[in-house]
Amino acid sequence: MESAFDKFLNRQDKLLKQYNQKYFDKQHNKGKLTARERIELLFDPDTFEELDAYTPPASVSFGKTSKAYGDGVITGFGMINGRQVYAFAQDFNVLGGSLGSGHAAKIIKVQDMALKTGSPIVGLIDSGGARIQEGVASLSGYANIFRRNVLSSGVIPQISAIMGPAAGGAVYSPALTDFIFMTKSTSYMFVTGPDVVKQVLNEDVTPEQLGGASVHGTKSGVADFVFNDDESTIQGIKMLLSFLPSNNIENPSYLKPEDAIDRIDESLRDIIPADPDKPYNIYEVIDSIVDDNKFFEIAGNHAQNIVTGFARMGGFVIGIVANQPQTLAGTLDIDSSVKAARFINICNSFNIPILTLEDVPGFLPGMDQEHAGIIKHGAKLLYAYTFSTVPKITVVLRKAYGGAFIVMNSKGIGGDFNFAWPSAEIAVMGPEGAIAILYRKELAEADDPVKLKKEFAAKYRDEIANPYIADEKGYVDEVIDPAHTRPKVIKVLKSLDKKSISLPRRKHGNIPL
Ligand code: HXC
C-alpha cells in the first residue's frame, strides 16, 4: 500500500513529468520560452515559491479540457534583486493559456497577496483570453482580476509583459497595469482578432499588422517597452523594477553614486544652436547630467517629441520629462501630452521626483489636433503636473512659450525649483507671432517689412523673450550656468527630500479623460 509520503512524492513526480521535452519544444519552436523558463529567468536563483501548482482545469461539457496540473498558469513569489515580487506566467501549452476559473483564481490569489504584502506584481501574458468552454466563469474570472488591478493601482507597481498572444480579456488586465512590455515578432495584443475583423469589416489583416509590438510600441503607445526576445524582455522588467519602490509608502532605493555629484559639463554651454530654430538632441543633455550617463527610457518610439524615463541623480531615482526639439520641434501634441501625463502620474504614485527639461515652442497647431481634442488631452498634462506632490524641478533650456511654459511644471502650477539657462526664451509667444500682432500696422506700412521684422525680433528677444525678467520677478529661481546643471539639480533634489504638502480632501480628482 502507498504510504502517505509516497503519495506526496508520486504527485510531485507527476508534476515534474508534465514538463517534458515535448512541452519545451512546443514553445521553443515558436521562438518563445516556456512559462516555467520565464519564471526561472525572472527570479533570483532558488527563490521562487510556486503556489497552487496542482490546480486542475475545470471539467466542462463542451469543448476540450486538459489533464495538465496548474490550469495553464504558474503563480507564486520570490526575490528579484533581493526584493520580494509576486508573479504569474501564463502557459500557452495548456489550452492556449486561456483563462478558466481555476486559472483566474490562482492569479487573483497572487494579486491579493501582492497587495497585502506591499509587493510589486509581474504578469507574463501568453493567452487566448477567456476560456471559451468555461463560459461565464471565465468572464467572471477576468472581472475579478480587473477589479484587483484597479484596487492595486497606485499602491503597488503592476507590470505586464506580453510574450505571445494577448487576445480579448487578456489585453485589459495589462491595460490597467502601470507598464506594458512586448516581445518583438512573437507577441500581439488586440481586443478583437483578425478573424473578427474579416467577418465584420471584410478586411484582411495579420496579427502583427493589427496588434504587433511595432504597432503598439510606436503608433498606439499601448506598449511602453519593446524588446527583441523573451530573455531581453525579462532583463528589461528587472531593470524597471530597480527604479521603483515596492509600494506607495516606500521610496525608491538610494544607490550610492560612483559618478561625482559635482561633475560639471562645459559642453552644455554650447549645445543650444545660435539659430533658435535649429534643433539639437535632448538625449545629449539627459545623458550628460544623470549618474553614469545612464537613462532608462519609457515609450521611446511613441510620441518622440517628448522623452520620458528614469535615471538616478546623486544616487536618487528621478523621473525625467524632456521636450525633444528634434521631433516636431518639441511641440506638445495629443500623444506627447498623454504620454507625459501618464508618466507623471506613475512618478507621483510611487514617490519619484520629477525633473522637467523644457524647450517647447507651444502646442502643435492645426485642425487635426484641435478636432481630435488637444484641449482635453493637453489638459491631462496640466492636471497631472499640478496634482502631483512629489519634488518637481524644471530647467528651461530654450523655448518656454505661452501655455506650454505654464504646463511644463511652471512655478505657478507647483514647480519647487525652476531654473533657466541663459539661452531661455520665456514669453507669451515667439518673436514672429508677437510682432505680427503688435506691429501689424507698422509692418504693413514699412518700405522694407522683412528688415523691420528682423529688427523687431531682435528687440523682442532682448527685451522680452529671455530668462531675466522671469528671474527678477521670481518665476524662475535662478539663471544657471548650463555646465553646472547636474550639481545644481542634485543639490535641490536633496533639499526636497522631506517635501510634504497635502491637497484638499476629496474622493478623487477628475482628470480630463
Ligand atoms: C479555449 C483556446 C482559446 C480560448 C486558444 N485556445 N484560445 N481554448 N479558449 N480562448 C486553444 C486552442 O483551441 C488550441 O487548442 C490551443 O489553445 C492553441 O491555439 P491555436 O489556435 O492552435 O494557436 P495559434 O494558432 O497560435 O492562435 C492563438 C490565438 C487563437 C490567436 C490566441 O487561438 C485565438 O484566436 N484564440 C481565441 C481568441 C479569442 O477570441 N478569445 C476569447 C476572447 S473574449 P489545441 O487543443 O488545438 O492545442 C474574452 C472575453 C473577455 O476574452 C473580455 C473582457 C473585456
Side-chain angles (χ1 to χ4, degrees), residues 26 30 64 92 95-98 127-133 139 142 146 165 167-170 172 188 190-191 195:
K26 240 175 143 179
K30 294 179 197 155
K64 295 170 191 166
F92 193 77
L95 298 171
S98 59
S127 171
R131 188 173 299 158
I132 298 161
Q133 54 274 48
L139 300 180
Y142 266 128
F146 299 159
Y172 274 118
Y188 42 92
F190 33 69
V191 177
D195 293 348

Coordinates of all heavy atoms in Angstrom, one line a residue, residues 26 30 64 92 95-98 127-133 139 142 146 165 167-170 172 188 190-191 195, ligand 1:
K26 N 7.4 22.6 -27.9 CA 6.2 23.3 -28.5 C 6.4 24.9 -28.4 O 6.1 25.5 -29.4 CB 5.0 23.0 -27.6 CG 3.9 22.3 -28.4 CD 2.8 21.9 -27.4 CE 1.5 22.1 -28.0 NZ 0.4 21.7 -27.1
K30 N 8.4 28.0 -31.5 CA 7.8 29.3 -31.9 C 8.7 30.5 -31.6 O 8.3 31.7 -31.6 CB 6.4 29.5 -31.2 CG 5.4 28.5 -31.6 CD 4.1 28.8 -30.8 CE 3.2 27.6 -30.9 NZ 2.3 27.5 -29.7
K64 N -12.8 21.2 -25.5 CA -11.6 20.4 -24.9 C -11.3 20.8 -23.5 O -11.6 21.9 -23.0 CB -10.4 20.8 -25.8 CG -10.5 20.3 -27.2 CD -9.3 20.9 -28.0 CE -9.6 20.7 -29.5 NZ -8.7 21.5 -30.3
F92 N 1.0 28.9 -22.5 CA 0.3 28.7 -23.7 C 0.1 27.2 -24.1 O -0.8 26.8 -24.8 CB 1.0 29.4 -24.9 CG 0.1 29.6 -26.1 CD1 -0.9 30.5 -26.1 CD2 0.3 28.7 -27.2 CE1 -1.7 30.7 -27.3 CE2 -0.6 28.9 -28.3 CZ -1.6 29.8 -28.4
L95 N -4.2 24.6 -23.1 CA -5.4 25.2 -23.6 C -5.1 26.7 -24.1 O -5.9 27.6 -23.8 CB -6.6 25.2 -22.6 CG -7.0 23.8 -22.2 CD1 -8.0 23.8 -21.0 CD2 -7.7 23.0 -23.4
G96 N -4.0 26.9 -24.7 CA -3.7 28.2 -25.2 C -3.6 29.3 -24.2 O -3.8 30.5 -24.4
G97 N -3.2 28.9 -22.9 CA -3.0 29.9 -21.9 C -4.4 30.6 -21.6 O -4.4 31.6 -20.9
S98 N -5.5 29.9 -22.0 CA -6.8 30.6 -21.8 C -7.2 30.6 -20.4 O -6.7 29.8 -19.6 CB -7.8 29.9 -22.7 OG -7.9 28.5 -22.3
S127 N -1.7 34.2 -23.9 CA -3.1 33.7 -23.7 C -4.1 34.0 -24.8 O -4.1 35.1 -25.3 CB -3.6 34.3 -22.3 OG -4.9 34.0 -22.1
G128 N -4.9 33.0 -25.0 CA -6.0 33.2 -26.0 C -7.2 33.9 -25.3 O -8.3 33.9 -26.0
G129 N -7.1 34.4 -24.1 CA -8.2 35.1 -23.5 C -9.2 34.2 -22.7 O -8.8 33.1 -22.3
A130 N -10.4 34.7 -22.6 CA -11.4 33.9 -21.8 C -11.5 32.5 -22.4 O -11.7 32.3 -23.6 CB -12.7 34.6 -21.8
R131 N -11.5 31.5 -21.5 CA -11.6 30.1 -22.0 C -13.0 29.8 -22.4 O -13.9 29.8 -21.6 CB -11.1 29.1 -20.9 CG -11.1 27.7 -21.4 CD -10.5 26.7 -20.4 NE -9.1 27.1 -20.0 CZ -8.5 26.8 -18.9 NH1 -9.1 26.0 -18.0 NH2 -7.2 27.1 -18.6
I132 N -13.1 29.6 -23.7 CA -14.5 29.6 -24.3 C -15.4 28.5 -23.6 O -16.5 28.8 -23.3 CB -14.3 29.3 -25.8 CG1 -13.5 30.5 -26.5 CG2 -15.7 29.2 -26.5 CD1 -13.0 30.2 -27.8
Q133 N -14.8 27.3 -23.4 CA -15.7 26.2 -22.9 C -16.1 26.4 -21.4 O -17.0 25.8 -21.0 CB -15.0 24.9 -23.1 CG -13.6 24.7 -22.6 CD -12.5 25.1 -23.6 OE1 -12.6 26.2 -24.1 NE2 -11.5 24.3 -23.8
L139 N -15.4 34.7 -17.8 CA -15.6 36.2 -17.8 C -15.6 36.7 -16.4 O -15.0 37.8 -16.1 CB -17.0 36.5 -18.4 CG -17.2 36.0 -19.9 CD1 -18.6 36.4 -20.4 CD2 -16.1 36.6 -20.8
Y142 N -12.0 37.1 -15.2 CA -11.4 38.4 -15.7 C -11.9 39.6 -14.9 O -11.1 40.4 -14.5 CB -11.7 38.6 -17.2 CG -10.6 38.0 -18.1 CD1 -10.8 37.2 -19.1 CD2 -9.2 38.4 -17.8 CE1 -9.8 36.7 -19.9 CE2 -8.2 37.9 -18.6 CZ -8.5 37.0 -19.6 OH -7.5 36.6 -20.4
F146 N -9.6 42.2 -13.1 CA -9.6 43.7 -13.4 C -9.8 44.5 -12.1 O -9.2 45.5 -11.9 CB -10.7 44.0 -14.4 CG -10.6 43.3 -15.8 CD1 -11.7 43.2 -16.6 CD2 -9.4 42.8 -16.2 CE1 -11.6 42.6 -17.8 CE2 -9.3 42.2 -17.4 CZ -10.4 42.0 -18.2
P165 N 0.4 35.6 -27.7 CA -0.9 36.4 -27.9 C -1.5 36.9 -26.7 O -1.3 36.4 -25.6 CB -1.8 35.3 -28.5 CG -1.2 34.0 -28.2 CD 0.3 34.2 -27.9
A167 N -5.3 38.2 -26.3 CA -6.5 38.4 -27.1 C -7.7 38.6 -26.1 O -7.7 38.0 -25.1 CB -6.8 37.3 -28.1
G168 N -8.6 39.4 -26.5 CA -9.8 39.6 -25.7 C -9.5 40.1 -24.3 O -8.8 41.1 -24.2
G169 N -10.0 39.4 -23.3 CA -9.9 39.8 -21.9 C -8.4 39.9 -21.5 O -8.1 40.7 -20.6
A170 N -7.6 39.2 -22.2 CA -6.1 39.1 -21.9 C -5.5 40.5 -22.0 O -4.4 40.8 -21.5 CB -5.4 38.1 -22.7
Y172 N -7.0 43.5 -21.3 CA -7.5 44.6 -20.4 C -6.8 44.6 -19.0 O -6.7 45.6 -18.4 CB -9.0 44.6 -20.3 CG -9.6 45.4 -21.5 CD1 -10.4 44.9 -22.4 CD2 -9.2 46.8 -21.6 CE1 -10.9 45.6 -23.5 CE2 -9.7 47.5 -22.6 CZ -10.5 47.0 -23.6 OH -11.0 47.7 -24.6
Y188 N 1.4 39.8 -29.7 CA 0.5 40.7 -30.2 C -0.7 40.9 -29.3 O -1.0 40.0 -28.5 CB 0.0 40.3 -31.6 CG -0.3 38.8 -31.8 CD1 -1.6 38.3 -31.6 CD2 0.7 38.0 -32.2 CE1 -1.9 37.0 -31.8 CE2 0.4 36.6 -32.4 CZ -0.9 36.1 -32.2 OH -1.1 34.8 -32.3
F190 N -4.7 42.4 -29.1 CA -5.9 43.1 -29.7 C -7.2 42.6 -29.0 O -7.2 41.6 -28.4 CB -6.1 42.8 -31.2 CG -5.6 41.4 -31.7 CD1 -6.3 40.3 -31.3 CD2 -4.5 41.3 -32.4 CE1 -5.8 39.1 -31.7 CE2 -4.0 40.1 -32.9 CZ -4.7 38.9 -32.5
V191 N -8.2 43.5 -29.0 CA -9.4 43.2 -28.3 C -10.2 42.2 -29.2 O -10.8 41.2 -28.7 CB -10.3 44.5 -28.1 CG1 -11.6 44.2 -27.5 CG2 -9.5 45.4 -27.2
D195 N -9.7 37.4 -37.4 CA -10.9 36.6 -37.9 C -12.1 37.5 -37.7 O -13.0 37.6 -38.7 CB -11.1 35.3 -37.1 CG -10.0 34.4 -37.4 OD1 -9.2 34.6 -38.3 OD2 -9.9 33.4 -36.6
Ligands
HXC1 C1 -10.1 27.9 -25.1 C2 -8.4 28.2 -26.5 C3 -8.6 29.6 -26.6 C4 -9.7 30.1 -25.8 C5 -6.9 29.2 -27.8 N1 -7.3 28.0 -27.3 N2 -7.7 30.2 -27.3 N3 -9.1 27.3 -25.8 N4 -10.4 29.2 -25.1 N5 -10.0 31.4 -25.7 C6 -6.7 26.7 -27.6 C7 -6.9 26.2 -29.0 O1 -8.2 25.5 -29.1 C8 -5.7 25.3 -29.2 O2 -6.0 24.0 -28.5 C9 -4.6 25.9 -28.4 O3 -5.3 26.8 -27.5 C10 -3.7 26.7 -29.2 O4 -4.5 27.6 -30.0 P1 -4.2 27.8 -31.6 O5 -5.3 28.5 -32.1 O6 -3.8 26.4 -32.2 O7 -2.9 28.7 -31.6 P2 -2.5 29.9 -32.5 O8 -2.7 29.4 -33.9 O9 -1.1 30.3 -32.1 O10 -3.5 31.0 -32.2 C11 -3.6 31.7 -31.0 C12 -4.8 32.6 -30.9 C13 -6.1 31.8 -31.3 C14 -4.7 33.8 -31.8 C15 -4.9 33.1 -29.4 O11 -6.1 30.6 -30.5 C16 -7.4 32.5 -31.0 O12 -7.8 33.4 -31.8 N6 -8.0 32.2 -29.9 C17 -9.2 32.8 -29.5 C18 -9.0 34.3 -29.1 C19 -10.3 34.9 -28.5 O13 -11.1 35.3 -29.3 N7 -10.5 34.7 -27.2 C20 -11.8 35.0 -26.5 C21 -11.8 36.5 -26.3 S1 -13.2 37.0 -25.5 P3 -5.5 22.6 -29.1 O14 -6.1 21.6 -28.2 O15 -5.9 22.5 -30.5 O16 -4.0 22.7 -28.9 C22 -12.7 37.4 -24.0 C23 -13.7 37.9 -23.1 C24 -13.2 38.9 -22.1 O17 -11.6 37.2 -23.6 C25 -13.4 40.3 -22.5 C26 -13.2 41.2 -21.3 C27 -13.2 42.6 -21.7

